[in-house]
Amino acid sequence: MSLVVPPYPPPRYTADEPEVSAWLKRDGEPPDYDAFGHVQYHYLANQQDTGGDYGLYRVRIAPRGGGPGPHFHRGMSEAFYVLSGTLSLYNGTDWVDGNAGDFLYVPPGGVHGFRNEADDPVSILMLFAPGAPREHYFEGLAQLGDLSDDERHEWFVKNDNHFVE
């Protein structure tokens, strides 16, 4: 066993005594946002909760519920962990099936997409790092039909979603 320890991040908590600051979110709570029954979002730990470190969301997509085509983010990584069902994942080259237990990591700038093409619902964890106000993005998708093409493009850019052909 090596005694050499790889470098850790510098301390961010510097008080002499620990604090009671942990919090728990229980399974079974209603979604924080329900997009017309097609996609349900549970905001497990958002940007505000984590001081900007990350955002973690549990997402349920209805059967044949679709999803975004190939896109990338400039300011954050995104990771997907399939909890149940089958999620079609675009890894930048091919659409592949992700099943329960599968994980896809996408660094900033990495082209990716996802969608539920199956006849059953899919449940996933989505992790964004650093944290970003993705709740604004998720909840704003319902209003896209009210925007002009230029306004829609600007909205996606402001939300760090850059679609590719």
Side-chain angles (χ1 to χ4, degrees):
M1 178 166 105
S2 173
L3 297 178
V4 177
V5 177
Y8 275 74
R12 299 185 326 177
Y13 184 79
T14 57
D16 290 334
E17 297 296 322
E19 65 182 20
V20 176
S21 55
W23 44 270
L24 173 68
K25 288 210 173 182
R26 298 259 184 213
D27 190 24
E29 294 291 320
D32 293 289
Y33 180 66
D34 188 327
F36 311 106
H38 294 292
V39 183
Q40 297 174 335
Y41 299 93
H42 294 263
Y43 303 160
L44 300 178
N46 65 24
Q47 179 186 38
Q48 291 78 29
D49 296 330
T50 67
D53 286 345
Y54 65 90
L56 180 64
Y57 305 89
R58 188 173 68 240
V59 181
R60 182 188 178 278
I61 305 172
R64 303 240 172 242
H71 64 283
F72 67 97
H73 309 293
R74 294 186 183 279
M76 61 193 165
S77 65
E78 186 171 3
F80 300 86
Y81 182 80
V82 181
L83 296 168
S84 64
T86 300
L87 183 68
S88 293
L89 295 164
Y90 187 68
N91 61 16
T93 305
D94 298 304
W95 285 95
V96 297
D97 284 345
N99 300 299
D102 289 345
F103 176 79
L104 176 70
Y105 171 72
V106 184
V111 177
H112 64 286
F114 63 95
R115 58 189 180 212
N116 185 3
E117 298 176 325
D119 292 328
D120 295 311
V122 66
S123 183
I124 62 173
L125 290 176
M126 294 173 58
L127 177 74
F128 297 91
R134 296 310 276 176
E135 309 79 35
H136 176 266
Y137 175 77
F138 299 145
E139 294 174 20
L141 290 169
Q143 278 74 52
L144 289 182
D146 298 335
L147 302 178
S148 70
D149 287 346
D150 288 341
E151 290 171 327
R152 191 175 306 111
H153 175 76
E154 181 181 340
W155 185 84
F156 278 117
V157 168
K158 286 183 177 180
N159 282 279
D160 194 14
N161 251 56
H162 309 275
F163 287 93
V164 297
E165 304 279 326

